[in-house]
C-alpha cells in the first residue's frame, strides 16, 4: 500500500480550487437579492457594468472583459436587449462583428444599481486592506492563467 502522504494533494482541504469555487458561488448567491430588485442575473449585471463604462463595444471585446465566450454572452445580450437596456447591430465595416450599445434605459438603470456594491460590501467581512489584497491576488492568478 502506498504511503498516505502521497495522497495529501487529493484532500479537499489542500486544494486552492475549492475555496475559490465555494467563495465565488457564495458571493454570487449574496448578490441575488440585490440584483432581483433590478431584474438582473449576475451575468447580466457584470455585462451592464461594462456597458455603463464603455457605452458601446463588440461582442468579442465584451467577452474579453467578462472572460466569457460568445455562446454564453448571446442569451445574456438577448435578454438585456428585450429589457431595453442595450441594442445589438451589425458593424457597417465588418458584418461578422456584432456591436452592442447601451440605451437610455440602460443608463438609467445605473442609478438603481449604484447601491449594489455598497450593499455587497456589508455582506463581506473583510477590511478594506484585506479586500484590496484579495483583489490583487485574484487578478494576479487570472493573469497567470490567461491563454497566450
Amino acid at each position: 500500500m502506498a504511503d498516505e502522504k502521497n495522497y495529501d494533494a487529493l484532500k479537499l482541504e489542500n486544494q486552492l480550487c475549492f475555496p475559490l469555487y465555494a467563495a465565488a458561488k457564495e458571493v454570487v448567491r449574496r448578490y441575488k437579492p440585490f440584483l432581483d430588485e433590478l431584474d438582473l442575473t449576475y451575468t447580466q449585471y457584470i455585462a451592464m457594468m461594462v456597458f455603463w463604462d464603455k457605452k458601446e463595444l463588440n461582442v468579442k471585446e465584451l467577452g474579453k472583459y467578462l472572460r466569457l465566450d460568445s455562446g454564453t454572452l448571446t442569451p445574456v445580450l438577448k435578454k438585456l436587449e428585450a429589457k431595453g437596456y442595450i441594442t445589438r447591430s451589425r458593424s457597417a465595416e465588418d458584418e461578422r462583428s456584432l456591436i452592442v450599445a447601451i440605451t437610455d434605459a440602460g443608463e438609467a438603470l445605473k442609478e438603481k444599481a449604484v447601491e449594489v456594491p455598497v450593499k455587497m460590501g456589508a455582506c463581506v467581512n473583510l477590511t478594506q486592506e484585506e479586500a484590496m489584497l484579495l483583489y490583487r491576488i485574484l487578478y494576479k492568478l487570472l493573469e497567470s492563467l490567461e491563454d497566450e
Side-chain angles (χ1 to χ4, degrees):
M1 185 118 191
D3 185 0
E4 284 299 311
K5 289 215 180 261
N6 291 343
Y7 300 108
D8 280 353
L10 296 176
K11 290 182 178 177
L12 190 61
E13 68 263 17
N14 293 335
Q15 302 300 307
L16 176 61
C17 60
F18 181 71
L20 281 170
Y21 162 77
K25 194 172 93 156
E26 187 61 26
V27 166
V28 170
R29 187 181 73 77
R30 295 286 176 104
Y31 266 100
K32 187 169 178 2
F34 308 128
L35 298 180
D36 283 351
E37 294 174 12
L38 303 175
D39 190 29
L40 294 176
T41 65
Y42 181 76
T43 311
Q44 291 168 354
Y45 173 66
I46 62 175
M48 289 305 300
M49 284 196 284
V50 175
F51 295 125
W52 291 323
D53 182 39
K54 304 296 179 191
K55 310 303 180 207
E56 180 180 295
L57 63 168
N58 68 42
V59 173
K60 187 174 181 178
E61 293 168 325
L62 179 64
K64 283 186 181 181
Y65 280 109
L66 299 179
R67 299 172 185 269
L68 295 171
D69 61 40
S70 63
T72 302
L73 285 174
T74 298
V76 170
L77 296 175
K78 284 183 177 181
K79 290 228 171 102
L80 289 174
E81 185 176 40
K83 292 176 185 193
Y85 297 145
I86 61 162
T87 59
R88 298 179 307 144
S89 59
R90 293 280 167 201
S91 167
E93 294 83 41
D94 182 357
E95 273 189 22
R96 296 169 297 173
S97 182
L98 188 64
I99 304 298
V100 187
I102 195 165
T103 64
D104 290 343
E107 282 289 351
L109 184 65
K110 186 177 184 179
E111 289 305 311
K112 295 178 185 175
V114 75
E115 292 298 317
V116 172
V118 175
K119 292 175 181 177
M120 275 305 297
C123 294
V124 180
N125 190 18
L126 295 175
T127 66
Q128 178 92 20
E129 294 78 23
E130 289 169 331
M132 289 308 300
L133 177 61
L134 179 59
Y135 176 90
R136 287 193 301 273
I137 290 169
L138 290 173
Y139 269 98
K140 183 177 181 178
L141 177 61
L142 282 171
E143 289 170 13
S144 75
L145 297 172
E146 281 182 347
D147 296 334
E148 290 147 31

